[in-house]
Amino acid sequence: MPGSIQITGEALSGAEIKDMCESLKENSVRLLSVRGCQLSDRDFGRVCRGVAESHSLAQLNLNLGVVSTISRTKQLADALKANRSIQTLFLHGTPLLDAGLVTLNGALSTHPSLVSLDLGDCMLGDEAVRLICGMLPPDGAKSGLKELTLSANPAISTQGWARLAVAVAHSSQLRVLNLDYNPLGDEIAGMLAVAVASSRTLEVLDLEGTGLTNRSAQVFLDMVENYPTCLRALVLAENDISPELQQQISDLLSEGEEEEDKDGEARGSSVTPREKPAWVPHSNSSSSQMVLMTSGLGESFLAETEM
């Protein structure tokens, strides 16, 4: 069975890179994580060639600046075009800018297996959002993302978030959306509430630390109280929202999930119930709000949660 290679914050030697590439080419690696590691441009190219040739690699973590130049971005794009197996790609903390995502877009949008993408803290703007929306197709016949992270990308404007909200509302596959630590405010949160109400698939929305108040929380409360949605978890920690409102929303979402589980049992559905994820506190806040650490999409696509 393919295993994993996980190294954090180290300077990688040529010998280590050689062993890593051989394992990739032998299809003995399912998870490769070199988050925050330092490696030469030559060695980065070797890793990309190994990724391109691997048929076993399902999760690739290049968080924290490993893809540090446009040249490396192009090499990664070429590797992703050749690879057919990667399901999850982490690029959190990569200085991509819109130009970097333009370079990656062709490979990302046509990859046959990619379902989870982390572009948090990548210095993205509206052009990047426009491209990302193309990865959230409304037609179920076309593959698209099930899990998307855009945390901490403050350069995205209200127009960009509005575009994303429309794409989320019509996405045929998106189930998890992490937008934490963006300066959204109540106006954009209202757009997202409409998107959630319209979505046929979205189960988890993370809005931690996004500048929300009781005003937008009340909109979400009205939504979950009066309209049927797929939403199972809404993260509102680190906002100016009363604990009482957060608790009301959490309770209503929990009730909805319990009713859905009972209905499934009554129908005797042959569909395997979604595996119950582990819940852990997402902050030191006294709020009772929790955050979902695994996506529940079969195997955990967020097996590595450290950024």
Side-chain angles (χ1 to χ4, degrees), residues 28-305:
S28 60
V29 179
R30 181 170 175 80
L31 186 161
L32 173 62
S33 174
V34 290
R35 56 189 299 274
C37 288
Q38 297 86 50
L39 60 164
S40 69
D41 288 340
R42 177 175 176 270
D43 284 343
F44 182 82
R46 292 166 65 190
V47 171
C48 284
R49 288 191 291 276
V51 168
E53 295 180 30
S54 176
H55 300 293
S56 64
L57 188 64
Q59 187 174 130
L60 177 61
N61 188 326
L62 301 174
N63 283 353
L64 303 181
V66 176
V67 188
S68 55
T69 64
I70 193 65
S71 174
R72 291 192 178 192
T73 304
K74 290 176 180 176
Q75 289 177 299
L76 177 60
D78 289 341
L80 292 172
K81 287 175 184 176
N83 177 277
R84 317 298 287 176
S85 63
I86 292 175
Q87 299 173 26
T88 300
L89 177 63
F90 293 90
L91 292 173
H92 202 108
T94 299
L96 283 178
L97 301 170
D98 285 0
L101 198 65
V102 169
T103 300
L104 288 172
N105 181 59
L108 295 175
S109 60
T110 60
H111 197 286
S113 301
L114 186 68
V115 292
S116 180
L117 179 62
D118 185 343
L119 295 173
D121 195 17
C122 285
M123 305 171 69
L124 303 181
D126 289 358
E127 175 61 15
V129 170
R130 184 185 68 81
L131 298 174
I132 291 166
C133 289
M135 303 176 205
L136 304 173
D139 182 0
K142 181 182 177 183
S143 61
L145 296 177
K146 295 182 179 179
E147 188 160 354
L148 173 63
T149 296
L150 288 175
S151 315
N153 281 292
I156 299 172
S157 73
T158 299
Q159 183 179 2
W161 292 121
R163 184 191 291 270
L164 180 69
V166 172
V168 169
H170 294 284
S171 170
S172 61
Q173 296 168 61
L174 188 68
R175 293 172 63 174
V176 179
L177 180 61
N178 300 310
L179 301 180
D180 47 312
Y181 296 101
N182 283 296
L184 302 181
D186 290 332
E187 180 182 354
I188 295 169
M191 299 178 193
L192 291 170
V194 174
V196 171
S198 303
S199 173
R200 296 164 290 165
T201 59
L202 192 68
E203 297 182 3
V204 179
L205 177 61
D206 187 346
L207 297 176
E208 178 175 359
T210 51
L212 308 189
T213 71
N214 285 346
R215 179 183 166 197
S216 51
Q218 187 64 53
V219 172
F220 281 110
L221 178 62
D222 291 343
M223 179 195 70
V224 298
E225 192 169 25
N226 298 306
Y227 301 95
T229 75
C230 295
L231 198 66
R232 292 172 177 248
L234 177 63
V235 184
L236 296 173
E238 302 299 328
N239 286 297
D240 189 18
I241 297 173
S242 71
E244 292 79 15
L245 264 178
Q246 292 195 48
Q247 188 63 55
Q248 284 180 276
I249 293 170
S250 179
D251 290 345
L252 284 168
L253 290 174
S254 298
E255 288 173 12
E257 186 170 351
E258 289 171 5
E259 290 174 5
E260 185 176 310
D261 291 343
K262 288 177 182 177
D263 289 344
E265 291 173 6
R267 289 192 300 269
S269 172
S270 60
V271 178
T272 303
R274 188 173 72 103
E275 183 180 350
K276 296 299 179 185
W279 292 84
V280 300
H282 196 48
S283 71
N284 294 325
S285 166
S286 60
S287 164
S288 61
Q289 187 65 41
M290 301 290 187
V291 64
L292 193 61
M293 294 298 286
T294 60
S295 66
L297 307 177
E299 293 187 39
S300 172
F301 293 128
L302 290 181
E304 273 215 5
T305 56

